[in-house]
């Protein structure tokens, strides 16, 4: 019912709702959810820092109860619930939430497991040292202030931060109709990028990305693929895939996956609980036990595997179903002049530099004004007390004045002073009137005039102001800069890896037990024929280095197993290790079956080059003499679980695989010293699913030990090596061309002294040879030391074998042109056993020396 004197105004409810909701949404956007592009802070964080600044709880002062800080912020600046302030302050103190924490907390401030912090009455806090840089120069009128909620106090609208806080700490917030999610970055990289921008305002985002490579999360982890990073930097939006940092260990007789870093914002306890549920539901088979062994020294989650589990398969399932792989969706929205804007990397840097420039100008103007005020007073001092007569006159005026006002007027009149100067004279203590103090006043005046000149120069000289910004940033970098925590796995995306990884020559080694590594070729020395060899890699029980191939980082490796499957790896994806390092179990790199074994490999160029893959073919040979030729195109689409390369019959296994160009000649050698030579065109090309055709006919007790592909009959020679260390080079033409499927001719005169044939290789005088025996000793020699001899001979001793040792493998390698002459002639008598290789799947090892055949890599 309408009361007397009241007036009702009819309003359209739609208009009222629209107006009220827009007001509310703008309030949320501007005053709550979005950060300011200049200091990277939301109002609540800015108020927490300013409240602590007002209480004086700096990094060099004692801690103060969190309740006291929260109460101060609530009562003075932030009229909301106490949890809103305390939760914000807690997050500012958590090293797993902020890349560079701003609050130094004492007490329980929560954990990565999602444990809540203790109540504010129990915890204490103070500012971190880095926060001093955010608040630096706040008292020098560098920023605008505004009234607080009840107009009783003033608070800063922005912080004069020297830290590019929006970049280094990121932020997240949900407003109305928009949200922000900005990733943290490394401080050193960010400052390098800002300095590069100051030096060149026309710098491109790609050029900035050479300095600030990718986000750098406080919990470390691995950025998997680079496309999302590039999108985020270029457009302000992008999806970055994050993976946990994982290693492999052997615990007892079990393989284990060890997680040492988890993706950003992952709740560790929830992730482990969810994984346990998935194991129980049998969505992730192969896990025997999960343990959280994290302590004060760092994070460690152990996934112990069952004996028949393939570590790489289990890891991929963990990535697929659990938070070991997450994504961070970058959405760079911040307030620019009070309006929300989407920002790319260059925009963020531009606005920060503009902010710092304004701070420098305002700080300099403040310091100049203060300096001029001080100079004005010092000029008055020198007028009055610059000589004994004027000092006596001033003292007389003061002594004979009835009151301070009269004294001030008398001084103004007598010495032509301003009111400020006269008051300063009256405020002087008598001690300042001594001769020594007068000299100090003159010195101070000279110094302050120099300072005024310098400050005026700064205001008149823009390049100098930007140099000051750079100098201050570099000082910050020196104080607080650190190394990246988050690694980048470029191979997870489409980035051109050739730009990142040098295309160096490497040696790949694979042991009999299935351990693989790549080593720089330069680590191996060259020796003369007959040398004993130097340390190569260690053996334990019946393990030894079985395969060696030279390659470069940018090439691909195709792995062929004795069951006829094919797997892919880029050479740079194979872990690097020293010459004596154990390497990584192949099962941890490719999803090879536990009872399968790599028997051959092919080194290829770019598999995405359609012209190349259609020109080249893969030729395979099995132990029983079956040969098969298939286009490389059939193997050009890598699959995680491999593909079937050749169908293997019972009691047979794949031995070798080579890359051919259609015009090659093929030579196949057997254990009993027979060899056949025929043109490649005699083997017709078949599909990947075919079995193949007969390559050589053999006696029942014989078997194929290897195959070579000859491309240059005139210059290449055939090298054959026996178990007992004998070998010889023979001209290719000594082996007559026959049809495929024949019995072949004698290639080495097999005796008890020589032992069975173990390897065949095509070599020239420019080639080097790596020989490794079963005890792990390696020798590297040049083929120019070995003369070419007849086909049906016993050959010469190539390596001195001790006791019952035998040759395990040979491989052709590039000769290092820069090796010194004395090194080439050096002979090392090194019989030392090498550091142990832990053999995985011991039960799968083949103990028979006759099965330790070498299957050498291909040369294109």
């Amino acid at each position: 019912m309408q009361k007397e004197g009241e007036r009702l105004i009819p309003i359209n409810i739609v208009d009222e709702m629209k107006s009220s909701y827009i007001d509310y949404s703008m309030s949320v956007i501007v005053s709550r959810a979005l950060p300011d592009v200049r200091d990277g802070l939301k109002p609540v964080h800015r108020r927490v820092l300013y409240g602590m600044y007002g209480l004086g709880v700096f990094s060099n002062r004692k801690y103060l109860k969190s309740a006291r800080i929260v109460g101060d912020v609530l009562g003075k600046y932030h009229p909301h619930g106490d949890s809103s302030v305390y939760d914000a302050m807690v997050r500012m103190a958590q090293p797993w939430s902020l890349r560079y924490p701003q609050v130094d907390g004492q007490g329980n401030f929560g954990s990565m497991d999602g444990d809540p912090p203790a109540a504010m009455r129990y915890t204490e806090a103070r500012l971190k040292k880095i926060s001093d840089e955010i608040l630096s120069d706040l008292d020098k009128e560098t920023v605008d202030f505004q009234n607080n909620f009840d107009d009783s106090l003033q608070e800063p609208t922005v912080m004069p931060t020297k830290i590019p806080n929006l970049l280094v700490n990121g932020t997240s917030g949900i407003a109305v109709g928009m949200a922000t999610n900005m990733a943290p970055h490394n401080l050193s990289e960010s400052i390098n990028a800002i300095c590069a921008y100051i030096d060149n305002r026309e710098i491109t985002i790609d050029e900035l990305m050479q300095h600030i490579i990718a986000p750098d999360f406080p919990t470390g982890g691995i950025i998997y693929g680079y496309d999302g990073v590039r999108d985020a930097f270029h457009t302000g939006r992008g999806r970055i895939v994050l993976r946990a940092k994982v290693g492999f260990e052997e615990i007892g007789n079990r393989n284990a996956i060890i997680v040492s870093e988890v993706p950003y914002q992952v709740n560790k306890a929830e992730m482990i609980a969810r994984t346990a549920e998935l194991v129980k539901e049998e969505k992730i088979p192969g896990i025997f036990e999960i343990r959280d062994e994290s302590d004060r020294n760092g994070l460690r989650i152990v996934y112990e595997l069952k004996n028949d589990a393939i570590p790489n398969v289990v890891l991929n399932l963990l990535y697929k179903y659990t938070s070991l792989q997450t994504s961070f969706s970058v959405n760079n929205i911040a307030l620019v002049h009070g309006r929300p804007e989407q920002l790319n990397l260059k925009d963020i840097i531009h606005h920060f530099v503009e902010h710092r420039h304004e701070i420098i100008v305002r700080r300099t103007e403040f310091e100049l004004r203060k300096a001029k005020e001080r100079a004005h007073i010092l000029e008055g001092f020198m007028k009055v007390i610059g000589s004994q007569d004027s000092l006596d006159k001033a003292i007389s005026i003061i002594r004979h004045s009835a009151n301070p006002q009269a004294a001030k007027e008398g001084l103004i009149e007598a010495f032509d002073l301003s009111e400020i100067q006269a008051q300063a004279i009256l405020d002087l203590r008598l001690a300042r009137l001594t001769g020594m103090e007068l000299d100090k006043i003159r010195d101070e005046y000279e110094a302050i005039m120099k300072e005024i000149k310098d400050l005026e120069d700064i205001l008149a000289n823009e390049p100098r102001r930007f140099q000051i910004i750079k100098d201050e940033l570099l000082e910050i970098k020196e104080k607080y800069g650190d190394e990246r925590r988050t690694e980048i796995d470029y191979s997870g995306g489409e980035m051109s890896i050739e730009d990142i990884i040098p295309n160096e020559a490497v040696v790949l080694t694979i042991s009999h037990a299935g351990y693989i590594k790549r080593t720089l070729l330069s680590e191996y020395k060259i020796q003369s024929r007959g040398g004993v060899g130097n340390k190569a890699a260690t053996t334990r029980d019946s393990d030894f280095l079985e395969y060696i191939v030279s390659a470069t980082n940018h090439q691909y490796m195709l792995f062929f197993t004795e069951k006829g499957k094919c797997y892919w790896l880029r050479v740079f994806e194979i872990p690097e290790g020293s010459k004596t390092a154990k390497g990584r179990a192949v099962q941890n790199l490719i999803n090879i079956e536990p009872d399968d074994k790599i028997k051959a490999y092919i080194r290829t160029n770019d598999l995405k080059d359609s012209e190349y893959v259609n020109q080249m073919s893969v030729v395979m040979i099995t132990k029983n003499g079956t040969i098969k030729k298939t286009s490389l195109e059939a193997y050009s689409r890598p699959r995680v679980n491999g593909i079937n390369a050749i169908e293997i019959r019972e009691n047979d296994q794949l031995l070798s695989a080579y890359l051919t160009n259609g015009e090659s000649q093929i030579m196949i050698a057997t254990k009993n010293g027979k060899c056949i030579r025929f043109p490649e065109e005699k083997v017709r090309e078949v599909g990947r699913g075919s079995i193949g055709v007969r390559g050589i006919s053999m006696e029942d007790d014989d078997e194929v030990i290897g195959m070579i592909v000859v491309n240059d009959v005139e210059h290449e020679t055939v090298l054959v090596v026996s178990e007992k260390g004998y070998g010889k080079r023979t001209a290719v033409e000594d082996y007559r061309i026959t049809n495929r499927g024949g019995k072949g001719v004698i290639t080495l005169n097999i005796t008890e002294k020589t032992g069975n044939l173990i390897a065949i290789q095509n070599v020239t005088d420019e080639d080097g040879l790596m020989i490794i025996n079963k005890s792990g000793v390696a020798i590297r020699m040049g083929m120019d030391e070995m003369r070419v001899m007849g086909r049906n001979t016993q050959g010469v001793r190539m390596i001195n074998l001790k006791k019952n040792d035998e040759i395990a493998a040979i491989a052709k390698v590039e000769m290092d042109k820069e090796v010194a002459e004395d090194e080439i002639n050096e002979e090392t008598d090194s019989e030392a056993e090498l550091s142990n290789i832990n053999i995985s799947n011991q039960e799968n090892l083949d103990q028979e020396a006759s099965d330790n055949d070498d299957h050498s890599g291909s040369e294109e």
Side-chain angles (χ1 to χ4, degrees), residues 51 321 403 439 458 499 508 539 700 739 797 824 826:
Y321 292 116
N403 52 50
D439 290 339
I458 291 171
D499 297 337
L508 303 179
T539 64
D700 289 343
N739 277 324
R797 183 174 288 281
I824 292 174
E826 175 191 358

Side-chain angles (χ1 to χ4, degrees), residues 82-328:
D82 56 4
S83 63
S84 65
V85 175
Y86 186 52
D87 289 350
M89 190 177 87
V90 163
R91 192 173 178 278
M92 291 164 80
Q94 292 174 336
W96 62 89
S97 292
L98 258 65
R99 182 64 178 83
Y100 299 91
Q102 296 157 344
V103 171
D104 182 5
Q106 184 166 264
N108 173 14
F109 274 75
S111 75
M112 283 182 75
D113 290 335
D115 299 320
M120 68 178 90
R121 61 182 176 276
Y122 299 119
T123 60
E124 296 179 334
R126 65 183 178 189
L127 288 168
K128 279 268 192 191
K129 183 76 181 149
I130 199 167
S131 294
D132 296 350
E133 312 295 348
I134 296 174
L135 297 158
S136 172
D137 302 325
L138 193 57
D139 56 349
K140 293 186 177 178
E141 299 178 8
T142 48
V143 295
D144 294 332
F145 278 71
Q146 64 188 17
N147 287 340
N148 69 340
F149 59 90
D150 64 358
D151 295 346
S152 61
L153 293 164
Q154 293 255 298
E155 61 174 321
T157 56
V158 68
M159 289 295 179
T161 176
K162 291 181 182 177
I163 309 287
N165 196 53
L166 193 62
L167 263 182
V168 302
N169 272 328
T171 190
S172 65
I174 300 170
V176 176
M178 64 185 70
T180 183
N181 201 33
M182 304 183 74
H185 297 82
N186 183 273
L187 180 63
S188 301
E189 289 181 5
S190 301
I191 286 174
N192 290 341
I194 293 166
C195 291
Y197 170 80
I198 290 171
D199 291 338
N200 173 22
R201 302 301 165 76
E202 303 302 317
I203 193 168
T204 64
I205 292 173
D206 285 328
E207 287 168 335
L208 286 172
M209 286 165 63
Q210 293 173 11
H211 301 280
I212 186 164
I213 304 165
D216 187 24
F217 297 95
T219 52
I222 295 167
I223 292 172
Y224 185 66
Y226 202 70
D227 290 347
V229 174
R230 194 187 293 107
D231 291 343
F233 282 160
H234 277 271
T235 67
R237 291 178 76 94
R239 182 175 168 272
I240 297 171
V241 178
L242 288 172
R243 280 186 167 183
K245 195 170 185 182
V246 173
F248 298 94
E249 285 182 16
E250 288 171 14
I251 299 174
N253 61 348
R254 294 183 189 278
N255 285 321
I257 296 169
I258 311 295
V259 175
S260 55
E261 294 174 4
V262 296
Y264 185 48
Q265 293 174 330
V266 164
N267 183 313
K268 176 163 62 74
E270 280 182 13
M271 180 185 77
I272 293 170
R274 176 64 185 143
T275 306
E277 284 176 23
L278 291 167
V279 172
K280 197 174 178 182
E281 293 166 8
E282 297 186 350
K283 279 195 175 176
I284 305 181
I287 293 179
F288 174 72
E289 186 181 12
I290 307 171
R291 294 191 302 277
D292 186 358
E293 297 180 358
S294 307
D295 56 20
R296 66 180 62 187
N297 298 318
L299 185 142
R300 180 180 163 91
I301 306 167
V302 179
Y303 297 87
E304 206 169 309
L305 306 183
K306 294 175 182 174
N307 286 331
D308 61 346
I310 302 167
N312 215 47
V313 173
V314 176
L315 181 59
N316 283 332
L317 288 171
L318 287 169
Y319 283 145
K320 183 176 181 180
Y321 292 116
T322 76
S323 298
L324 281 192
Q325 176 173 308
T326 63
S327 63
F328 186 93

Side-chain angles (χ1 to χ4, degrees), residues 308-595:
D308 61 346
I310 302 167
N312 215 47
V313 173
V314 176
L315 181 59
N316 283 332
L317 288 171
L318 287 169
Y319 283 145
K320 183 176 181 180
Y321 292 116
T322 76
S323 298
L324 281 192
Q325 176 173 308
T326 63
S327 63
F328 186 93
S329 295
V330 175
N331 187 18
N332 293 342
I333 292 181
L335 296 174
V336 180
H337 307 303
R339 296 171 65 90
E341 279 187 24
Q342 183 112 34
L343 304 163
N344 61 32
L345 176 64
K346 189 174 177 181
D347 294 334
I348 295 169
I349 291 173
H350 164 76
H351 290 299
F352 174 74
V353 170
E354 289 300 303
H355 177 55
R356 280 306 299 161
H357 183 252
E358 185 185 347
I359 298 299
I360 299 291
V361 169
R362 291 180 67 159
R363 182 182 73 192
T364 308
E365 286 172 346
F366 175 83
E367 288 172 348
L368 180 62
R369 191 174 78 247
K370 291 292 180 187
K372 283 181 173 177
E373 286 172 3
R374 182 63 182 160
H376 181 62
I377 288 169
L378 292 173
E379 283 167 0
F381 286 173
M382 289 189 294
K383 275 185 187 177
V384 174
I385 57 179
S387 66
Q388 191 62 45
D389 290 345
S390 58
L391 178 58
D392 292 343
K393 183 178 177 183
I395 291 169
S396 175
I397 290 170
I398 294 166
R399 281 180 62 196
H400 293 96
S401 297
N403 52 50
Q405 184 60 34
K408 188 195 289 186
E409 289 169 0
L411 288 171
I412 289 170
E413 192 176 330
F415 295 100
D416 192 21
L417 301 176
S418 69
E419 196 162 318
I420 293 168
Q421 289 172 324
Q423 187 60 49
I425 296 290
L426 290 174
D427 293 340
L428 267 180
R429 290 166 54 230
L430 289 172
R432 298 295 305 271
L433 303 181
T434 63
M436 188 183 292
E437 288 295 323
L438 289 175
D439 290 339
K440 279 186 184 176
I441 288 169
R442 289 194 187 95
D443 291 344
E444 186 187 351
Y445 181 73
E446 285 175 15
I448 216 149
M449 291 313 289
K450 277 185 188 172
E451 185 187 340
I452 287 170
K453 193 174 179 184
D454 187 54
L455 292 169
E456 285 174 340
D457 181 61
I458 291 171
L459 288 174
N461 189 344
E462 188 182 76
R464 191 170 167 205
R465 294 198 292 276
F466 283 105
Q467 187 59 45
I468 289 169
I469 297 172
K470 271 181 69 177
D471 293 343
E472 289 182 354
L473 283 170
L474 293 171
E475 193 180 322
I476 295 289
K477 177 182 163 185
E478 185 69 29
K479 275 191 197 172
Y480 308 104
D482 57 5
E483 295 296 319
R484 275 191 76 84
R485 293 183 192 171
T486 303
E487 296 176 11
I488 304 160
D489 182 356
Y490 294 102
S491 61
E494 296 298 317
M495 183 167 184
S496 173
I497 201 70
E498 284 76 6
D499 297 337
I500 290 100
I501 294 175
N503 197 21
E504 294 174 309
V506 293
V507 174
L508 303 179
T509 57
I510 307 172
S511 80
H512 185 72
Y515 284 85
I516 186 170
K517 70 172 187 288
R518 70 185 157 98
T519 308
L520 288 176
L521 182 65
S522 55
E523 278 206 35
Y524 290 92
K525 291 182 178 180
I526 294 179
Q527 294 185 15
S528 297
R529 177 174 63 79
V532 176
N534 58 12
K535 244 181 182 184
T538 311
T539 64
R540 190 178 82 176
D541 299 330
S542 59
D543 194 20
F544 52 85
L545 290 187
E546 192 169 5
Y547 300 108
I548 315 161
V549 63
S550 66
T552 59
N553 278 330
H554 291 185
Q555 291 178 314
Y556 285 77
M557 289 298 295
L558 303 188
F559 295 87
F560 293 84
T561 71
E562 62 183 28
K563 286 187 173 183
K565 291 201 79 174
C566 174
Y567 299 86
W568 291 259
L569 273 183
R570 294 294 293 271
V571 171
F572 61 78
E573 292 177 312
I574 296 166
E576 191 170 358
S578 67
K579 197 167 54 171
T580 56
K582 160 178 152 183
R584 177 82 67 82
V586 172
Q587 284 92 335
N588 293 339
L589 298 174
I590 56 179
N591 297 339
I592 184 171
E593 293 174 15
D595 60 342

Side-chain angles (χ1 to χ4, degrees), residues 677-694:
R677 172 187 171 204
F678 56 85
E680 179 193 338
E681 63 201 33
K682 296 280 185 184
V683 186
R684 66 184 178 84
E685 195 164 277
V686 294
R688 197 162 49 79
S690 302
I691 294 174
V693 293
R694 175 157 297 284

